[in-house]
Amino acid sequence: MNESIRKFSYSLFTMFLAVTAIFIVLRATPGDPVEKILGPEAKVEEIAKMRSDLGLDKPLVIQFKSYLVGIVNGDIGSSLFKNVPVTTLIKKHMQPTAVLAFVSVTLAMIIGTMLGIWAGFKKSGYFDNVSRIISLIFLSFPIFSLAPILVYIFAIKLRVLPVSEWGTISQSILPLVTLVIPLSAVLMRVSRNKLLEESSSPWVQVLKSKGMADKDILIRLTKVCMPTILNVVAIQLSVVLAGTMITETIFDIPGMGLLLFEGIQNRDYPVVQGVILYSTVIYMGIYFIVDFINAKIDPRIVS
């Protein structure tokens, strides 16, 4: 129970730091949302009135206090440009992001873990050497450089896949491949190294001396490696969420990333703050789930 309270307190503190940081960064960034809304021809009186109406003329401490009170009461504000509650906008844009993140993480776990485990089991073999080179190449490609390469090859040169929009399987292939490749490369290396580490453990040598079949030893090794792999997935989730938002912007997918990008462009404070807050809550929730699964797989983690 004490451990649960500690983790919950840590999560609340993390969320507080996140909302505080983004609040300060947004206000310190050059650009005025009111001038964006009214345009360059707006008069000084009109700008002053709108700033007052939106509460942007109040001291930052008062604005931050109102924002925190709103969060506690379940109100994270309305878009300055669209005059729509931020929660409504997020619900509207959540589905593409959730699909992209869930499918890409699932595929990366299956591909990366299977290849990594098999490479470790066949250490120094042809498959192991080739997979290590491929994973190293893929790790060196960040999403913002990998996506344009895929677009150039498959959309522009070969013309076999669409470059933008969202809703069909063909439209989702390039965004998913962009997200799956880097995470698969990470999981491949982690699972391979963990399997090699466990392979030299005394309990594995005992099983081999008793004549246990290789496939049965591999299954046991995979189970032992899973907590480490899941922890890496949890750590990588923040990277995946950030990558999903970058991918959505590149492929013009109407998800949370595009909503965040538009919010930053327009200096729409409530939208940017809301997307960051939701992302933090989702990340912490998934982290708790991974922690729970790890505890089920290996109860020693709890203690």
Side-chain angles (χ1 to χ4, degrees):
M1 180 62 75
N2 290 336
E3 182 67 12
S4 299
I5 294 173
R6 188 187 68 80
K7 289 180 179 178
F8 182 69
S9 302
Y10 170 77
S11 300
L12 286 180
F13 183 64
T14 301
M15 283 188 276
F16 175 75
L17 288 181
V19 298
T20 303
I22 195 62
F23 185 91
I24 294 172
V25 169
L26 280 175
R27 269 66 180 181
T29 304
D32 187 342
V34 175
E35 293 179 1
K36 276 270 187 181
I37 296 172
L38 296 177
E41 304 298 327
K43 297 178 181 177
V44 176
E45 297 80 14
E46 293 174 326
I47 294 175
K49 183 178 185 306
M50 179 165 278
R51 289 182 64 81
S52 177
D53 292 342
L54 296 175
L56 297 175
D57 59 338
K58 297 177 181 175
L60 286 182
V61 175
I62 302 298
Q63 291 184 45
F64 185 59
K65 182 181 176 183
S66 299
Y67 177 54
L68 290 181
V69 171
I71 291 176
V72 173
N73 293 321
D75 179 12
I76 56 175
S78 297
S79 167
L80 300 179
F81 280 75
K82 300 177 181 177
N83 197 27
V84 175
V86 175
T87 50
T88 302
L89 291 174
I90 289 176
K91 287 176 184 174
K92 181 181 176 183
H93 290 79
M94 178 73 80
Q95 191 257 355
T97 303
V99 171
L100 264 180
F102 178 77
V103 176
S104 61
V105 169
T106 303
L107 289 176
M109 278 193 65
I110 295 172
I111 296 171
T113 303
M114 288 181 65
L115 294 179
I117 293 289
W118 189 248
F121 198 64
K122 298 292 182 182
K123 180 187 175 186
S124 300
Y126 176 77
F127 180 79
D128 183 31
N129 293 331
V130 171
S131 65
R132 277 190 293 166
I133 294 173
I134 292 176
S135 66
L136 184 62
I137 294 173
F138 285 156
L139 279 172
S140 61
F141 277 99
I143 288 174
F144 57 81
S145 64
L146 179 60
I149 292 173
L150 294 175
V151 168
Y152 178 76
I153 295 174
F154 294 101
I156 297 176
K157 296 298 289 185
L158 301 178
R159 297 185 179 182
V160 293
L161 291 171
V163 69
S164 63
E165 301 298 330
W166 176 258
T168 66
I169 293 177
S170 61
Q171 289 168 343
S172 64
I173 291 177
L174 284 182
L176 283 173
V177 171
T178 302
L179 291 168
V180 167
I181 285 179
L183 184 56
S184 294
V186 172
L187 295 177
M188 190 188 301
R189 292 181 71 86
V190 169
S191 54
R192 176 188 178 276
N193 293 339
K194 182 62 180 175
L195 186 118
L196 290 178
E197 177 188 328
E198 291 294 336
S199 296
S200 58
S201 300
W203 67 270
V204 177
Q205 305 307 319
V206 171
L207 293 179
K208 287 182 178 178
S209 66
K210 290 183 177 179
M212 179 175 280
D214 285 350
K215 68 174 185 178
D216 294 328
I217 294 177
L218 184 60
I219 292 172
R220 294 199 179 195
L221 281 170
T222 303
K223 183 180 178 182
V224 171
C225 293
M226 283 313 293
T228 300
I229 294 169
L230 288 174
N231 276 330
V232 172
V233 171
I235 294 169
Q236 288 290 316
L237 277 177
S238 58
V239 179
V240 172
L241 287 174
T244 303
M245 293 183 178
I246 295 172
T247 304
E248 288 174 357
T249 305
I250 294 174
F251 290 100
D252 195 27
I253 299 171
M256 297 266 283
L258 199 58
L259 180 64
L260 178 64
F261 180 72
E262 291 174 352
I264 293 173
Q265 272 193 322
N266 294 327
R267 303 291 186 274
D268 200 339
Y269 299 154
V271 169
V272 178
Q273 291 167 173
V275 172
I276 298 295
L277 178 62
Y278 262 67
S279 301
T280 306
V281 171
I282 291 171
Y283 174 75
M284 299 306 298
I286 294 175
Y287 192 84
F288 269 115
I289 292 172
V290 170
D291 204 40
F292 176 77
I293 294 174
N294 275 341
K296 289 295 181 185
I297 295 175
D298 186 356
R300 291 173 300 175
I301 293 175
V302 177
S303 59

